Amino acid sequence: TVASGPALYTQVDAPRLPTGRTAEVPAAGVLPDGVYWAAYEGGDAAVPVITVYQAFFGDECIAKAAEVGDECNNDYFVWGDSARTIEDLPFAPDVYLTVSDVATMRSHWITPAELVQIRAGSPSAGAPGGFGYVPFASMMTVSGGVIVGFEQVWTP
């Protein structure tokens, strides 16, 4: 059960992107504490299925993209070779979870159960008018072997 937070779809601040880069993604084993670029693939309200990547920003974006023969567009670069799918990392009971509204670029607080529901195409009452799930990546914060933050990032 997820601890209560704000009302579903309360508008909140957009996530802050780390300076330079997200945490390095180990090839195997437990994810160390840190902030990661993550794609939500499904799963249930307790344990999501996610693909985790390392992302680069600013000068590190330019450098990493050039290193691998690519370009830094919109000030971020997601390194595809760092991808790892994880199916056993649970949400913390009080996870801070947000989604971005594609129409307004605003962030809204939701619960893991609502994330599952909106991915299936049916947001609860209180969702912004015309809201629909868009698979933007999230800034995922891991601490102590659980996901404590999962903030979707609006991206062009």
Side-chain angles (χ1 to χ4, degrees):
T1 303
V2 174
S4 64
L8 281 177
Y9 296 101
T10 296
Q11 187 177 325
V12 295
D13 290 338
R16 288 190 200 173
L17 298 179
T19 301
R21 69 178 87 181
T22 59
E24 188 174 330
V25 179
V30 176
L31 280 184
D33 290 358
V35 177
Y36 300 86
W37 188 267
Y40 175 68
E41 310 291 353
D44 60 36
V47 183
V49 175
I50 52 176
T51 302
V52 183
Y53 303 85
Q54 187 172 28
F56 298 81
F57 310 94
D59 290 342
E60 290 196 40
C61 170
I62 295 165
K64 185 63 176 185
E67 176 188 319
V68 298
D70 211 328
E71 292 183 29
C72 173
N73 294 314
N74 299 308
D75 202 38
Y76 73 97
F77 176 73
V78 178
W79 187 34
D81 287 356
S82 67
R84 176 176 163 204
T85 299
I86 298 175
E87 300 179 353
D88 61 355
L89 185 64
F91 283 125
D94 59 349
V95 63
Y96 183 77
L97 198 154
T98 68
V99 289
S100 293
D101 184 345
V102 70
T104 65
M105 298 184 282
R106 294 187 175 134
S107 292
H108 301 275
W109 184 88
I110 63 168
T111 63
E114 184 69 6
L115 180 60
V116 171
Q117 187 169 323
I118 64 173
R119 186 168 183 272
S122 56
S124 295
F131 179 81
Y133 179 74
V134 175
F136 293 134
S138 294
M139 297 305 305
M140 179 180 76
T141 304
V142 174
S143 181
V146 296
I147 302 168
V148 297
F150 203 76
E151 299 175 75
Q152 196 175 44
V153 179
W154 186 94
T155 51

